[in-house]
Amino acid sequence: MVAGAIEAMSAQLEKLGNPSSLHTQGRAVRKELEQAREQLAKAIGCHASEIIFTGSGTEANNTALKGLFWKNRPLGRNVVVISAIEHHAILDPAHWLHDHDGAEIVSIAVTEKGIVDLDALKSLIDTRGDEIAVISVMHSNNETGVIQPIAQIVQLANLAQIPVHSDSVQSFCKVPLSFSELGLTAMTLSAHKIGGPLGIGILVLKRGIDIPAILHGGGQERDIRSGTLNAPSIVGFAVASSLPIPVEQIAQLREVFATGILKAIPDAYINGGSANEHLPGIVNITFPGTESDTLLLLLDGQGISASTGSACTAGVQRPSHVLLAMGHNDKTARSSLRFSLGATTTRLEIEKVIELMPAVINQARTANLR
Ligand SMILES: Cc1ncc(COP(=O)(O)O)c(C=O)c1O
């Protein structure tokens, strides 16, 4: 967590008082919580009353997708549209709606660059727009960093009055992001992606839109998310959102890293590398002839953390659904690694990885031949 957020959160942890209580202590906590809400609203480009605090980004995604589906299904809209590259926190609730609630799920393909195919979405809306309950497309992808054309998606959706939700967990505070300018109905954010605390998320839900809740109880947060508000985490989230992330510096390092790796390993290639817009700190690289699990362990042995982006179920590594959707086969998807750069990443670290990489790749290729 970033230092300022830790301090603000620690100070709040010492305060007694449930923000929903009417006594003096409760009102004092409520006041600080509402100031944090205002601060976050400014950073998000929404109205404070549009913020619904949740326990995670996963919860916000579930609440938005299920809520908008349940709201619109009685109007004859039984189709849930997602992209093929969504995080599991959207994929899985969508599949749940199919299995338990009879929703029809349509997954929109992405191009080789990892960008949602707008033509496919347009023709779906042209032919079946009045059947669609909700469209959910992430603002940027967590594995490739590729940014999605959300404003254009909203424009298309508006033609058939379809609400659009966007999982914007990866984009917040890293690239320009404004809820009102995008014209979204709903948006998801999570504090731990910006140096805030774990276990606190936001569902931004347009004013005047009411959706059925998943949690029922005390009626907090417009009766959409009951439960005592986590004031310390909310205050920590707000402070984290106000501290600038050195995105220029991170983007420059990403450039140095990508160029250096491609020079060191000439047959390696960057997934989504030809997309015009991407996050400053994520780069996903395929190293042909390797197994990403082996690479990961070899790099870990050198003190370098990378990730495969694939889900591990019952010990079986699966290839990334994001890379498969971008045209990879199982083998090449399994030869890919995601590197994340942040505010604390240094040029020295980047140079060290570039220098180590040829030997690591050789070792991984030899292991793969055995
Ligand atoms: C794109 C995306 N959506 C949703 C989530 C889930 O957020 P949380 O960890 O707050 O549940 C993540 C977390 O990694 C993510 O990267």
Side-chain angles (χ1 to χ4, degrees), residues 345-356:
T345 309
T346 65
R347 188 161 179 134
L348 216 67
E349 287 169 337
I350 293 294
E351 284 167 356
K352 182 184 160 200
V353 184
I354 295 170
E355 196 186 312
L356 284 170

Side-chain angles (χ1 to χ4, degrees), residues 56-58 61 87 138 142 167 169-170 190 192-193:
S56 61
T58 301
N61 275 350
H87 189 274
M138 66 204 324
N142 48 302
D167 174 346
V169 162
Q170 292 285 340
S190 177
H192 69 97
K193 296 292 171 189

Side-chain angles (χ1 to χ4, degrees), residues 212-292:
I214 294 177
L215 300 185
H216 302 95
Q220 289 91 344
E221 302 298 89
R222 286 159 62 182
D223 214 6
I224 290 170
R225 206 287 187 172
S226 284
T228 300
L229 285 160
N230 182 349
S233 293
I234 290 168
V235 168
F237 195 173
V239 171
S241 79
S242 72
L243 300 172
I245 295 175
V247 281
E248 284 296 322
Q249 172 195 316
I250 298 170
Q252 274 172 16
L253 285 180
R254 181 191 185 275
E255 214 43 52
V256 172
F257 181 67
T259 316
I261 292 286
L262 295 186
K263 204 168 153 209
I265 318 290
D267 62 345
Y269 54 92
I270 295 179
N271 297 301
S274 54
N276 289 336
E277 291 183 297
H278 50 72
L279 295 174
I282 290 183
V283 59
N284 190 307
I285 309 178
T286 301
F287 299 99
T290 67
E291 271 282 346
S292 43

